[in-house]
Amino acid sequence: MDPTEDLSARVLLKHILSTETPRTPVTRSVTKTRTTTLPRRSGRFSSKDAGAQSPQDILRRSMRHKISESITRKSLLRRTHTPGPTALLLNDGDTPRCILRNIMQTEPVRSPAVHKHAESAEPQPSSANSSMTRSHQSIELSGLDLPDLTIGNVASAAKGLSRKRPHRSLNVTAFEKRLRHLDDVGEETEKSIDDHSSLSLSRSTSLSLKTPFVDVQTEKRGLQRRVTRLQKMTVDEFGAAVNKRQMGEVSGFVEQGPSDTAFSEGFTLGLSKLNEPDLTTDILHCNTALYAKPDAMTSNISVMAPQLQRQVEVKQRQVTEAERDELVKERPIYLDEEEDVVGDASAEENIKGQVDIQSERDVAMSQSEEEDLPDSQTEEDDAVGPPAEEAEEDAAATSQSDEEDAVGPPAEEAEEDAAATSQSDEEEVDRDTQTEEDVRVDTQTEELAADSQAEEEMDVAEYQMDQENPAGGDFADSQDEDAYDGAPEEQDDEHVSGQGLENVIRRAHRSGSGIVPITESGRRDASRKESDAGDEKSFRASHEDGGNLGNDFPEEAAAQDPAVEEEEEWEDGEDDEENQEVPSKTPAFVREKRKIFNVQHLASPSVLKNIPFYSIIHLANRSTGDGLPAPKPKTTRKRSRPAAKEGGLPKSYLMNVFKHFAKTKVSADIYPVLKETMDKFFERLAEDLEAYALHAKRKTLEVEDAVLLLKRQGHVNDKVPVEVLIEKYLRMDQRRLLIPVATQGNVVIPVPRR
Amino acid sequence: MSDENDETRQRLKAALHCAVGRMCQKIGEDHRRDFSRHVVAAIAETTFGQCDIFAKDLEAFARHAKRSTVSTEDVKLLARRSTVLFNYIQHKSEELNQEQREKRKGAVRKRSRDTEEESRE
C-alpha cells in the first residue's frame, strides 16, 4: 500500500510542491482530518496525527481518502471553504464523528454538483489551501470518481451496516431535515458539489456512524408506542372504571350489561378454538373501546371482553398499586397470550377480585369460553355491578357462594353428571380451597354453559337484576360475615339470576356443553401446573390457571398429576383473592394466599356434597370459617339453575390440549375416555391435596401440600427442585410469589413468612 | 462408603429376595401354583424399588407434618390409595393402640396398686 501510494503520492506531491509550498496549518489540519477522517483506512493515519507530515504521508492520506470515505474529503473541502476551516478542522475534525458532524452541518447533498466538480476538479492539482483544497478536491474529485463508486460502495456498505437497524430510513430523513435546518447557515458550503453526493452518502454513512443518536430516538419511539398503549389503557381504564364505579354502580352495571354479555360472548368466542383468531385480532386491533355494541357479536364482543375485563378489573380493583400492577401484567399477558391466556389471566384476576361479581357476571356473561374468561368476566361484572366495597372478602365469599348456589341448583338440574362429578370432586378435595375451586369451576362452567348460548338480552336483564341484587346482598352478607345473612338475600338474587341462568345454561348446554368441562379441566390443568409451582399462592394459581389453562393446558395434560390438586387450590384461592381484591387494598395475590390459608376444610365429604361450591368458597373466604349450615339453602337453589356440567372441562379444550401433547393424530373417540381419566386424575389430585393438608393437621391447603404432591408424582425430585419447575412453567408474576426475590434495600419479595 | 452401601444394598436385596421366595412358595402351596424364578426375582426387585419410594415418601410426609419421626399417620397416608391395604393398616394400628392403652392402664394400675400398698404399708 504505502510504497505504491508513495509512488503515486510522490508524483502528486512533487506536482503539488512544484506549484505551492505546503502550508503547515493546512497540512496539519488536512492531515489530521485526513487521518481522522479515515478511521477505516488504517491505524497509520491515526498514528500520524502529529503536525507536520511528510509529503508522502499527505499524499498517502489523500490517496487513501480517495478510496476511503468521500465524506472526510468533502468535509475537508467544506471546511476549506468555510471560514476558518483549519480551525474547524483542527478543533472539530479530529475524530471522524466530528468530521461527519461538520459535514452534516455544512452541506446538503447535491449529487449533480458533485459530479461536475469532480470532473472539473480533476485536472487541478494544487498545494495551497485552496490549492490544497483543490488538490484535495482534485484528489478528492478525481477520487470522487472513484469515490462515486466507492461512495456507492461505502454508502452501500454503510447501508449494509446500518441495515441492521430497520429505522434507518427514518434516521436519514430526520437527519437530513435537521441538516437542512442547519444548512441554512452553511449553504455556502453546500455549493461544494463534491460534498453533496458524498454528503448524502456521507450522511448515510455518517448516519451509520451516528446511528446511535437517531436510532435511539426511533427505537424509543417504537418502544414507547407499545408501552404507552398498555399503560394508558390500564390507567385510563382504571380511572374510568373507578369513576364509573363511584358514579353509579348500577348505571355502570347496566351499561355493562350488554357489554357483559358481549364479554361472555367475546370470551367464549375468544376462547373457543374457532373464535380464537377473532379474539386475538380483535384484541390486537381494538384497544380503547370500552363497551362493545351488543350487536357486534363476535369481533366486537371478543374485543370488548378483554377490554371490559380489563376495565372491570380496573374498576374492581381499588386503587392499589398492586392491583394496577397486576392489571398491567395481565393486560400485557392478555395481549401476549390472547386466547386462552387472555381469558385466563383476566379471569383469574377477576376471579380473585370479585367473587361476588363473578356469580352475577358468570350468569350473564359467562360464555362458555374457557374458565378463565368466564371467571374473569364474572369477576369483572361483579366488580362493575356492585360498588366496590372494602368487604370484598366477605362479599366475594358471599357472592361466590351465592353464585355457586344459584349456579348449583340450575347446574344440578341441567347436568346431574357434572354436578355429581363436581360434587365428587368436592368431596375428594374436602377442603375449602378445593371446594371453592370446584364451586367456582362449577359456577363458572355453569355460567359458561349458560352464557355461551344464552341470549344476551335475557342474560343481561337477569344479570343486571342479579348483579344488582346480589351486589347488595353480597355486600351485606360480606359485611355481616354471616352466610345466613347473605344467604337469604343471595338466594333471592340467585333465584332471579338462576332462572335466567337456567335458560341460558340450558341453551348453553346444547351449544357448548363441552365448554364447561373444558373450563373446569382447564382450571384443573392450570391448578395442576400451579401444583408444580406449589409455592405459589392462590393468586398465582389463578393466574396460572388462566395462563396455564390457555397456554399450559398442553403441558398440563402431560403433567396432569401434579397440577390438578393445586389447580383446585389455586382456583379457590384465586376466587377468594379476586373477590377480596376489589374492595381490599392488599394485593390480590396476597389475599389469595390468605384465602388459601383460611380455607377451611369441611370435615365430611357428605357435607361437601350438600354444600354448593359457592358456600364452600364463602366459607373459605371467611377467615373465621364455619358456615356449613348457612350455605345449604343457597346450594340447592343455585345448583338447580346452572345446567353446566360441574365436573367437566370443555370438550374442545380437552381435545385440543391432548392433541397438542400427543403430537400425532388423535381421533375424537377418545374424548369419553379422556374425560373420564381426567376427572379421575383431578379427583385423586384433590384427594391427595386434602390428605396432605390433613396430615399436617391443617384445614387449609398450602403451597407445601402442592409441593408434596409434585414430589409424590415424581415431577420434583432430588434432581429437579420445585424452583426449576416454577421457573419453567410459571409466569414471572406468579413466580415472584413463590420464589423470594431479593431487591434493593434488603427487601425480599414476597415477604418471607415465618 | 459407596461400596459399603452397595454391599448393604445387595444384602438387603438378597434378604428380600429370600423373603419373597418364601412367601411365593407359601402362596403357591395354597393355590397349588408354582412361582417361576423370574417372577420371584421380578417381585423382589419391584418390592425393593417400592420400599425405596415408600421410605422417601414417608420421610416427606413426616417432614410435611413437621415431625422428625415417621409415625403411623404417615404410613396411613401412604397406604390410602389402596383401600384394602388402608383398611388393613388402619385395623392393625387400632389394635396396636388398644394394646398400648391396655399396657398403660396395666402399668398405671400396677403403679397405683404399688402406691396403695406402699401407703398401706
Side-chain angles (χ1 to χ4, degrees):
Chain A
M1 277 274 294
D2 290 345
T4 57
E5 286 180 354
D6 291 348
L7 289 173
S8 58
R10 283 170 193 164
V11 171
L12 284 171
L13 189 60
K14 285 176 186 176
H15 197 70
I16 293 168
L17 290 173
S18 64
T19 54
E20 275 192 20
T21 57
R23 300 180 187 178
T24 47
V26 174
T27 57
R28 279 177 191 168
S29 64
V30 170
T31 57
K32 281 181 186 177
T33 54
R34 283 177 185 169
T35 57
T36 55
T37 54
L38 297 174
R40 294 183 191 176
R41 267 299 151 180
S42 63
R44 292 171 192 163
F45 291 123
S46 60
S47 64
K48 293 175 184 176
D49 288 343
Q53 298 286 346
S54 67
Q56 289 183 357
D57 296 335
I58 296 171
L59 283 175
R60 279 182 214 155
R61 287 168 195 154
S62 63
M63 292 303 293
R64 287 176 186 174
H65 274 288
K66 287 184 189 175
I67 304 173
S68 67
E69 300 166 0
S70 61
I71 299 168
T72 58
R73 292 171 191 168
K74 289 177 184 174
S75 64
L76 292 171
L77 288 174
R78 289 175 199 160
R79 283 165 197 167
T80 56
H81 291 303
T82 59
T86 59
L88 286 174
L89 291 170
L90 288 170
N91 296 335
D92 301 334
D94 288 339
T95 64
R97 288 192 179 226
C98 299
I99 294 168
L100 290 176
R101 191 209 321 153
N102 294 334
I103 295 168
M104 296 192 309
Q105 291 173 355
T106 51
E107 293 188 7
V109 181
R110 294 182 189 175
S111 54
V114 178
H115 295 299
K116 290 178 185 174
H117 278 283
E119 295 173 1
S120 61
E122 282 182 288
Q124 303 174 6
S126 59
S127 60
N129 285 344
S130 61
S131 67
M132 287 303 297
T133 58
R134 266 182 261 152
S135 64
H136 275 293
Q137 286 178 354
S138 65
I139 295 169
E140 295 185 6
L141 289 174
S142 59
L144 281 174
D145 292 340
L146 296 176
D148 287 339
L149 302 175
T150 57
I151 288 169
N153 297 338
V154 172
S156 64
K159 283 176 188 174
L161 291 175
S162 63
R163 269 171 199 158
K164 293 173 187 176
R165 303 179 188 183
H167 42 263
R168 182 152 181 264
S169 60
L170 291 174
N171 299 340
V172 173
T173 54
F175 201 79
E176 288 182 357
K177 283 179 186 175
R178 287 173 69 251
L179 287 176
R180 282 163 201 161
H181 208 60
L182 297 170
D183 286 345
D184 294 342
V185 179
E187 285 182 355
E188 299 176 355
T189 57
E190 293 177 357
K191 293 179 182 177
S192 65
I193 303 166
D194 300 340
D195 299 338
H196 295 315
S197 62
S198 63
L199 276 177
S200 60
L201 293 172
S202 67
R203 277 176 193 171
S204 63
T205 54
S206 67
L207 287 173
S208 63
L209 289 179
K210 293 202 177 185
T211 42
F213 174 68
V214 184
D215 293 347
V216 171
Q217 286 179 351
T218 55
E219 287 174 358
K220 281 180 184 175
R221 281 178 222 152
L223 292 172
Q224 284 169 358
R225 280 169 201 158
R226 291 179 191 175
V227 172
T228 52
R229 274 180 205 165
L230 289 175
Q231 291 173 354
K232 280 179 186 174
M233 282 199 53
T234 57
V235 173
D236 295 344
E237 288 181 358
F238 186 88
V242 171
N243 293 337
K244 284 178 186 173
R245 245 185 145 181
Q246 294 171 355
M247 294 298 291
E249 298 167 357
V250 177
S251 62
F253 177 79
V254 173
E255 289 177 359
Q256 288 210 343
S259 64
D260 291 340
T261 57
F263 273 124
S264 59
E265 292 180 358
F267 285 112
T268 55
L269 292 172
L271 287 176
S272 68
K273 298 172 190 177
L274 295 177
N275 295 332
E276 285 176 0
D278 298 341
L279 182 61
T280 58
T281 52
D282 293 335
I283 293 171
L284 289 173
H285 297 318
C286 300
N287 291 332
T288 55
L290 292 179
Y291 302 103
K293 296 177 183 177
D295 296 343
M297 294 295 294
T298 59
S299 61
N300 294 341
I301 293 168
S302 60
V303 177
M304 285 293 297
Q307 294 178 357
L308 285 174
Q309 281 184 352
R310 293 177 199 151
Q311 295 172 359
V312 176
E313 294 177 0
V314 174
K315 292 180 186 178
Q316 294 179 357
R317 291 164 193 184
Q318 295 181 354
V319 183
T320 60
E321 295 183 352
E323 292 174 355
R324 283 175 188 166
D325 294 341
E326 295 169 1
L327 286 175
V328 173
K329 293 175 196 172
E330 291 195 354
R331 282 180 195 157
I333 294 171
Y334 294 123
L335 295 178
D336 299 338
E337 300 178 349
E338 294 178 348
E339 299 178 359
D340 295 341
V341 178
V342 174
D344 297 342
S346 61
E348 292 182 353
E349 285 189 353
N350 296 331
I351 295 173
K352 296 176 188 177
Q354 303 176 352
V355 176
D356 299 337
I357 299 174
Q358 268 193 346
S359 59
E360 297 176 345
R361 289 183 189 169
D362 290 341
V363 176
M365 298 281 306
S366 65
Q367 293 188 351
S368 59
E369 281 194 351
E370 296 177 353
E371 304 170 296
D372 300 331
L373 286 184
D375 294 339
S376 57
Q377 288 185 349
T378 56
E379 294 176 348
E380 292 181 349
D381 297 336
D382 295 337
V384 176
E389 286 192 357
E390 309 215 349
E392 284 182 350
E393 298 186 1
D394 296 337
T398 56
S399 62
Q400 259 200 356
S401 62
D402 294 341
E403 293 180 354
E404 296 176 348
D405 291 336
V407 174
E412 290 179 353
E413 294 177 357
E415 302 177 355
E416 295 179 353
D417 295 344
T421 55
S422 62
Q423 286 178 354
S424 64
D425 292 344
E426 290 180 346
E427 294 177 3
E428 294 177 353
V429 177
D430 242 10
R431 299 309 162 197
D432 295 344
T433 56
Q434 189 171 27
T435 56
E436 287 179 2
E437 289 181 354
D438 293 339
V439 177
R440 293 189 63 211
V441 171
D442 292 347
T443 54
Q444 290 177 356
T445 57
E446 294 176 68
E447 294 175 348
L448 291 178
D451 296 338
S452 62
Q453 303 236 339
E455 298 172 352
E456 293 182 0
E457 297 177 355
M458 290 214 28
D459 296 338
V460 175
E462 293 178 350
Y463 188 82
Q464 292 177 359
M465 290 176 59
D466 296 335
Q467 289 192 359
E468 294 179 358
N469 296 334
D474 292 341
F475 291 107
D477 295 340
S478 61
Q479 292 175 352
D480 296 345
E481 294 192 5
D482 252 351
Y484 282 112
D485 295 341
E489 295 178 354
E490 294 175 347
Q491 290 175 358
D492 295 341
D493 298 335
E494 293 172 357
H495 274 296
V496 178
S497 58
Q499 293 173 0
L501 281 173
E502 289 180 358
N503 300 332
V504 173
I505 293 167
R506 279 160 196 166
R507 293 184 207 128
H509 271 300
R510 293 162 199 164
S511 60
S513 61
I515 297 170
V516 173
I518 291 173
T519 55
E520 280 194 2
S521 63
R523 288 177 122 199
R524 286 175 182 167
D525 292 340
S527 66
R528 287 174 188 170
K529 287 201 172 178
E530 294 180 347
S531 64
D532 289 348
D535 296 344
E536 283 192 349
K537 301 308 172 98
S538 60
F539 178 75
R540 284 196 187 177
S542 61
H543 280 292
E544 276 245 330
D545 290 341
N548 292 338
L549 289 176
N551 300 331
D552 299 339
F553 192 93
E555 298 178 357
E556 294 178 351
Q560 291 178 356
D561 296 340
V564 172
E565 287 188 1
E566 291 188 348
E567 246 189 354
E568 295 177 343
E569 284 182 314
W570 286 328
E571 290 178 349
D572 292 340
E574 295 176 353
D575 295 339
D576 295 338
E577 289 191 20
E578 289 172 351
N579 298 331
Q580 295 172 353
E581 281 185 4
V582 180
S584 69
K585 295 180 182 179
T586 59
F589 67 88
V590 172
R591 285 190 222 127
E592 283 189 353
K593 288 185 186 180
R594 285 189 217 149
K595 284 182 190 177
I596 290 180
F597 297 151
N598 295 335
V599 169
Q600 295 181 358
H601 295 278
L602 297 179
S604 62
S606 60
V607 176
L608 289 175
K609 275 183 186 174
N610 298 333
I611 297 174
F613 288 135
Y614 71 87
S615 63
I616 293 169
I617 295 177
H618 179 66
L619 295 174
N621 289 339
R622 294 183 180 177
S623 56
T624 59
D626 300 350
L628 280 184
K632 273 180 188 174
K634 294 180 187 176
T635 328
T636 53
R637 291 181 200 172
K638 286 191 177 175
R639 279 182 191 168
S640 61
R641 286 188 226 157
K645 303 174 197 171
E646 294 188 358
L649 289 168
K651 176 179 178 182
S652 61
Y653 187 57
L654 259 184
M655 293 297 292
N656 195 25
V657 171
F658 189 79
K659 283 178 184 174
H660 173 276
F661 283 104
K663 292 188 173 72
T664 59
K665 281 194 177 179
V666 170
S667 125
D669 299 337
I670 67 147
Y671 175 68
V673 177
L674 180 66
K675 181 166 166 14
E676 185 185 342
T677 310
M678 291 281 286
D679 290 346
K680 274 189 200 164
F681 178 75
F682 284 125
E683 288 178 17
R684 301 236 176 103
L685 193 85
E687 285 177 355
D688 286 352
L689 279 176
E690 180 190 351
Y692 296 154
L694 277 181
H695 184 69
K697 299 182 184 70
R698 276 187 278 104
K699 289 186 180 178
T700 315
L701 288 180
E702 269 283 352
V703 172
E704 54 195 23
D705 296 331
V707 174
L708 187 65
L709 179 72
L710 280 174
K711 279 188 186 163
R712 283 273 293 177
Q713 288 177 339
H715 289 83
V716 174
N717 52 30
D718 298 337
K719 291 182 184 178
V720 181
V722 182
E723 285 72 20
V724 170
L725 289 175
I726 292 175
E727 290 179 11
K728 186 176 173 188
Y729 290 109
L730 294 185
R731 298 196 296 270
M732 189 59 201
D733 56 338
Q734 296 164 335
R735 184 203 305 184
R736 220 174 289 142
L737 286 171
L738 289 177
I739 300 178
V741 176
T743 57
Q744 185 191 23
N746 217 21
V747 174
V748 179
I749 295 167
V751 178
R753 298 175 288 115
R754 303 155 198 171
Chain B
M1 286 294 290
S2 63
D3 294 342
E4 294 177 2
N5 291 342
D6 289 344
E7 187 187 340
T8 312
R9 281 173 71 93
Q10 287 176 6
R11 288 175 63 185
L12 280 172
K13 281 191 183 175
L16 179 67
H17 191 95
C18 187
V20 168
R22 261 190 274 118
M23 284 177 67
C24 287
Q25 209 174 12
K26 183 181 170 191
I27 294 173
E29 288 172 1
D30 292 345
H31 296 273
R32 277 169 288 144
R33 296 261 179 148
D34 289 338
F35 283 79
S36 73
R37 289 195 179 183
H38 295 297
V39 171
V40 172
I43 295 173
E45 280 295 322
T46 310
T47 314
F48 192 82
Q50 200 63 31
C51 283
D52 182 25
I53 293 172
F54 283 162
K56 288 185 182 163
D57 287 345
L58 284 171
E59 182 190 350
F61 288 151
R63 203 179 306 134
H64 185 70
K66 298 179 180 64
R67 277 187 274 108
S68 58
T69 318
V70 178
S71 77
T72 52
E73 296 297 322
D74 300 329
V75 177
K76 284 186 198 168
L77 193 67
L78 190 73
R80 73 191 180 290
R81 274 290 165 221
S82 163
T83 320
V84 175
L85 184 62
F86 182 68
N87 292 339
Y88 182 78
I89 289 177
Q90 216 161 16
H91 197 62
K92 278 290 180 186
S93 73
E94 286 170 10
E95 289 180 2
L96 278 172
N97 289 342
Q98 287 177 0
E99 290 175 13
Q100 285 182 1
R101 279 177 232 147
E102 290 167 5
K103 284 181 187 175
R104 284 176 207 160
K105 287 179 186 173
V108 168
R109 286 170 199 163
K110 279 187 181 177
R111 291 176 206 158
S112 65
R113 285 175 212 159
D114 293 343
T115 54
E116 288 176 1
E117 291 173 358
E118 292 176 359
S119 67
R120 290 175 201 166
E121 297 174 2

